[in-house]
Amino acid sequence: MTKKRSEGGFAARISAKYDLQPDMMLDGCHLELRGRSSLAVGGCRGIVEYSPIEITLRLRDSILKIAGEHLSCDSYTCGEVLISGRINILGFDDTKR
Amino acid sequence: MKLFAFLFGCRKISVPSDRGADLLNICMKYRYPYYEMGAYEDRTYIVCSPVIARRVCIKCGEMDIEAESGRLCGVPKYIGRFFSRPGLVLGLLIAVIMLVQVQDYVWDIRVSGYEGVDENEVIDGLYACGFYRGCSLDGFCADDVENLFLRRSENIGWISVNMKGTVAYVEVQKKNSPPKKDTLLPANVVAKRDGIILEALTYSGLRMVEKGEIVREGQLLISGAYGEKTPGLHVTRAAGRVSARTFRKISVEIPLEYEEKVESGRVFYEKYMIFFGNTIKVFSNSGNLGSSCDKIVEGKLYGFLGSSLPIGERVEKYVEYETVKRTRSREAAEALAKEELERQLSELCVEEIVSRSDAVDFRDGKCVVECDLTCIEDIAMTLEFTVNYEK
């Protein structure tokens, strides 16, 4: 089990072997940034903090922090978050909250 | 506001800023879609449909989140306002009913091809036949209206009524009457007033007077029957022109005391609405109407884009007056009498006024102006007669 976990497990191996996108097999997150004004985050498990200057999202195994100005959550359904505004910083934190 | 949100209505739900993330998590967890989100001051808000807003508020309450629901926006808000006014709803309802019902009525009558024929005469004629602006088209038959109109009209020889929607297009042609034939009845020419013959010109018949002869009113001037009874009497329609010197006397009286109407200042109205040929009284303050009133009636049909509508108004105005006795001066009475005399003289049908003498007198409280005239005029007057044949 320890070996599997270190290698990422069966799904990770399949994904690596067949060159599949990690979010498809590993239930990971998917980020799509368009310029600095729009960010789509897939695989979001919840919003930890929200303010117009900082949004904190909980992902499967990490925390995503988005800092910027006039940030807003345009849609938020089925784990898909669409954030708009002026995005300045994107950061991941492995500390689970 | 997005179009969808505007059309179907939306509500703003706001929560304190520190609970904004919870609000969004509720939306995600329960799959509540929202149109818009944002933040102001110390609050975070979402804009969603009214149904979702109610659900979000319930969920927020369960999670101890202080949520404020804003006012309803968009079309439902206006619909709500509209239905809260029964007058508007009733008006709309009446308008819809009218739109449906008015298709069965004549809205306008347009007459064309009426050279030499008065349009109003045609419309009045159609009215007499029961076809007018505002009449019902139920059971309408153009042939019946046309035939009835032609039977009653003296001037119109042809008419066509075509309905296009609610407008009647009427085409008419004037009747081409054959030239009026001279009547064949025999006639004499007699004097229509006393006079001295100056000249007698006979077109037909036998002249019975000579120049310088004095004739009396009704005297035979040109005879339509002449000749011997045996072998046969000639009968014709006598005609001619008989110029004579006549004497006329015109008298004009103007009383020095007269009654004048003085408006008391009280005016009463009766207002009616003309609606598709029906007259409906809508206002009246003439309940205590006095006996001495002048009645003034004004009516008009409303127009729209140059066309008359079968809807209009009629106002009957009653102006109350009092009769006051007044006295005019002799000079004023004389001036009035002379004015009236001149008016009567201008209406005289004479060839020439040879001489004239006026006399003014005041008697019995009146100013009397008498005018003696000597005129030259045609005194010939045709008088028809019948011939009884002996068996």
Side-chain angles (χ1 to χ4, degrees):
Chain A
M1 287 298 287
T2 313
K3 187 182 178 184
K4 267 188 183 177
R5 205 177 291 130
S6 65
E7 290 175 355
F10 175 74
R13 278 185 278 127
I14 293 292
S15 174
K17 186 173 183 179
Y18 294 103
D19 199 18
L20 297 174
Q21 296 297 329
D23 60 312
M24 289 180 67
M25 293 296 291
L26 302 177
D27 195 16
C29 67
H30 168 87
L31 272 69
E32 191 177 324
L33 182 65
R34 292 170 185 252
R36 289 180 61 178
S37 61
S38 174
L39 173 68
V41 181
C44 177
R45 298 295 176 90
I47 293 180
V48 182
E49 279 177 18
Y50 171 82
S51 76
I53 55 168
E54 187 179 277
I55 295 175
T56 306
L57 305 178
R58 185 189 305 120
L59 305 178
R60 180 172 169 261
D61 49 8
S62 60
I63 295 291
L64 172 62
K65 283 190 176 181
I66 303 136
E69 296 158 32
H70 308 296
L71 298 177
S72 75
C73 221
D74 285 351
S75 71
Y76 182 29
T77 49
C78 305
E80 279 277 338
V81 187
L82 183 63
I83 292 167
S84 63
R86 184 174 172 80
I87 297 165
N88 293 335
I89 300 165
L90 279 175
F92 288 91
D93 185 356
D94 286 334
T95 312
K96 271 203 167 186
R97 289 211 202 178
Chain B
M1 191 187 299
K2 290 177 182 175
L3 181 64
F4 189 83
F6 176 76
L7 290 177
F8 293 93
C10 59
R11 221 178 256 280
K12 186 185 273 188
I13 304 290
S14 68
V15 295
S17 292
D18 56 338
R19 307 301 299 271
D22 295 329
L23 176 67
L24 292 172
N25 285 327
I26 287 172
C27 290
M28 190 197 74
K29 184 178 177 185
Y30 297 102
R31 299 193 176 183
Y32 293 153
Y34 56 87
Y35 304 127
E36 189 185 330
M37 82 153 295
Y40 62 90
E41 295 175 0
D42 57 345
R43 296 189 80 81
T44 301
Y45 69 87
I46 60 167
V47 177
C48 54
S49 70
V51 177
I52 298 296
R54 192 169 61 248
R55 291 177 185 169
V56 168
C57 284
I58 292 168
K59 295 298 175 190
C60 285
E62 288 172 1
M63 292 178 66
D64 265 350
I65 303 171
E66 180 219 332
E68 279 182 12
S69 178
R71 286 186 301 177
L72 182 68
C73 301
V75 173
K77 176 178 110 176
Y78 300 113
I79 292 175
R81 279 187 187 177
F82 177 76
F83 279 100
S84 65
R85 294 181 170 185
L88 278 178
V89 178
L90 188 67
L92 181 70
L93 201 64
I94 290 170
V96 170
I97 292 169
M98 275 177 63
L99 272 176
V100 175
Q101 285 293 316
V102 293
Q103 295 170 17
D104 296 333
Y105 292 88
V106 178
W107 277 70
D108 196 11
I109 298 174
R110 294 176 189 171
V111 184
S112 61
Y114 53 88
E115 258 179 58
V117 180
D118 186 15
E119 183 180 353
N120 290 329
E121 184 190 334
V122 176
I123 290 174
D124 291 346
L126 288 169
Y127 184 87
C129 300
F131 188 77
Y132 49 89
R133 284 191 186 101
C135 75
S136 171
L137 286 172
D138 188 25
F140 164 73
C141 177
D143 290 342
D144 291 348
V145 173
E146 290 165 5
N147 291 334
L148 190 59
F149 183 90
L150 290 177
R151 278 208 301 275
R152 292 184 176 191
S153 176
E154 293 176 357
N155 302 330
I156 310 296
W158 176 82
I159 186 168
S160 160
V161 180
N162 291 307
M163 289 302 303
K164 285 183 184 172
T166 56
V167 178
Y169 290 87
V170 179
E171 286 184 64
V172 291
Q173 290 294 329
K174 196 178 181 182
K175 189 182 280 180
N176 292 320
S177 307
K180 199 175 181 181
K181 290 178 183 172
D182 289 338
T183 176
L184 295 173
L185 276 177
N188 290 323
V189 172
V190 298
K192 63 182 173 187
R193 61 190 315 114
D194 299 350
I196 302 167
I197 304 296
L198 296 176
E199 187 184 13
L201 186 63
T202 307
Y203 302 146
S204 66
L206 182 65
R207 181 158 56 94
M208 305 297 287
V209 290
E210 295 297 330
K211 185 178 177 183
E213 192 177 331
I214 297 171
V215 293
R216 294 285 176 192
E217 183 181 342
Q219 185 176 333
L220 185 63
L221 301 177
I222 304 169
S223 175
Y226 55 93
E228 298 295 330
K229 198 170 182 180
T230 309
L233 197 66
H234 292 273
V235 178
T236 185
R237 187 173 180 84
R241 187 175 174 282
V242 180
S243 190
R245 185 186 298 270
T246 58
F247 305 95
R248 290 172 180 257
K249 188 167 194 170
I250 299 173
S251 180
V252 175
E253 292 181 355
I254 297 292
L256 294 176
E257 281 190 354
Y258 63 101
E259 290 184 338
E260 190 181 60
K261 287 180 183 177
V262 177
E263 290 181 9
S264 66
R266 295 174 69 192
V267 181
F268 303 96
Y269 292 95
E270 282 185 2
K271 292 186 178 178
Y272 298 86
M273 192 172 80
I274 302 167
F275 189 76
F276 289 91
N278 299 312
T279 307
I280 305 157
K281 187 189 274 190
V282 291
F283 172 77
S284 173
N285 64 352
S286 58
N288 50 354
L289 197 64
S291 57
S292 305
C293 283
D294 283 329
K295 182 180 176 183
I296 302 159
V297 180
E298 289 176 1
K300 66 172 181 182
L301 290 175
Y302 299 132
F304 181 70
L305 298 176
S307 303
S308 291
L309 298 176
I311 300 166
E313 62 176 7
R314 197 181 80 185
V315 179
E316 290 182 2
K317 186 178 173 185
Y318 296 90
V319 182
E320 194 181 61
Y321 64 83
E322 292 165 357
T323 309
V324 179
K325 282 195 173 180
R326 295 198 190 279
T327 307
R328 58 168 67 92
S329 68
R330 289 186 164 211
E331 290 76 15
E334 187 181 336
L336 274 175
K338 285 185 173 173
E339 193 178 317
E340 173 61 18
L341 177 67
E342 292 302 324
R343 191 190 63 76
Q344 289 189 20
L345 286 175
S346 67
E347 290 176 356
L348 271 182
C349 294
V350 295
E351 291 171 17
E352 184 186 346
I353 294 174
V354 179
S355 66
R356 167 185 172 181
S357 72
D358 297 350
V360 181
D361 188 17
F362 292 93
R363 59 175 183 262
D364 302 333
K366 294 173 184 172
C367 171
V368 181
V369 176
E370 290 179 337
C371 177
D372 291 315
L373 294 169
T374 305
C375 312
I376 295 173
E377 62 182 297
D378 182 11
I379 60 169
M381 182 174 71
T382 302
L383 189 66
E384 290 173 347
F385 63 88
T386 53
V387 179
N388 293 320
Y389 297 97
E390 289 180 1
K391 286 182 181 176

